[in-house]
Amino acid sequence: MHRRLVLLALLGGLLAAILLLRGPLGRWLYPDAALDGLLAAADAAMAEGDVLRAATLLQAAAARSPDHPRLPVERAEAVGIALARVDTLLGGPPPGPPLAAAARAEIEALLAAAAALGAPGDALEPRRRHLAERAEPSIEVLLQRALAAEQTDPEAALADYLRVLAREPGNTLARHGRQQVLSAWLGLAVAEIERGEWESARLRLRRVRALDPGHVDLPAVEARLAGRHGSAAEPLPDPALQAGRSREALRWLGLAEEALGRGALDTARRALDQAALLAPEAPEREALEQRYRLALSAAR
């Protein structure tokens, strides 16, 4: 009887050990061929310098087995390759010459991949700032350029003021400059009303309202148009109106693209929302929305 009890106890212990170790034993006896294939493919991609493909493969491997012991090493290697490539593309210290569009797009993709692989923020942020400085003039340069262009090219001046406001919404000089340009537009609208150029005046007023609905002089000019030729706010099917809205939408989309390039997701979101109000069907907007979602996902 005693030996039978000992035998039963041994059998019970063996069964418990098998149940406890069935995961590690299973992996040892039957390794995950698909996972091994992903890791091998990631190694091959890194050896070829294709770190973006390697990042995709490593993320797939992590989804399959997040605790695999090789993953931290593989991720760290991929991050190192990605950041080294970014540094090569950025060249020397900022500011440096403007970047070509292809180089900028590659840098953005590499930084997004490094973020998704767990690169620390103190490694990413300096490179994002460097990229922003190479891709976009400084705020001081934008303000100087806009001020110089106010009289000769108000459209260009306004575009620069809007670029500043996309990066610094509270910038006093840019807000004042925008108001100056829009006040000049309102003066032109008054002259058009007096000449009976109703459609042109209405288009100009709608552009002002889209950019600064709280402009102090806007209600008076809208009332003047309404008194001379019906409601200033009624919708117009005029193609010129649609063209004007499309131009403004493209400016906001450009601001959103610039903000995405330097990782300013809040600014990009505001610019995309403005573009959606002006031209919700613009094909460029959906591509930028997708980039925004990917960047937001990587940031989390």
Side-chain angles (χ1 to χ4, degrees), residues 52 82-83 86 106-116 119 123-124 127-128 131 261 298:
L52 295 178
L83 295 182
V86 167
E106 184 178 354
I107 291 171
E108 290 171 0
L110 288 166
L111 289 175
L124 296 172
R127 292 172 170 88
R128 285 172 175 159
L131 175 61

Side-chain angles (χ1 to χ4, degrees), residues 134-214:
R134 294 283 298 280
E136 177 77 355
S138 69
I139 284 177
E140 290 74 16
V141 169
L142 288 172
L143 288 172
Q144 291 171 5
R145 192 168 71 185
L147 183 62
E150 269 192 25
Q151 301 302 318
T152 58
D153 192 351
E155 291 277 357
L158 179 63
D160 282 340
Y161 285 136
L162 292 177
R163 287 189 178 94
V164 173
L165 290 172
R167 290 160 66 175
E168 289 186 5
N171 188 287
T172 303
L173 290 175
R175 290 170 67 89
H176 177 73
R178 180 184 64 181
Q179 186 177 39
Q180 291 294 103
V181 173
L182 297 185
S183 293
W185 283 4
L186 291 174
L188 293 173
V190 170
E192 289 165 345
I193 292 169
E194 295 304 312
R195 294 194 298 267
E197 297 171 2
W198 317 116
E199 305 305 319
S200 179
R202 190 173 300 171
L203 169 61
R204 202 176 295 278
L205 289 175
R206 282 183 173 269
R207 291 186 68 192
V208 172
R209 176 166 288 282
L211 292 168
D212 186 9

Side-chain angles (χ1 to χ4, degrees), residues 45-46 48-56 77-79 81-82 85 110 113 117:
M46 284 190 280
E48 295 169 2
D50 190 352
V51 70
L52 295 178
R53 174 166 167 74
T56 300
E77 183 180 354
V79 166
I81 294 172
R85 175 62 178 160
L110 288 166
L117 290 169

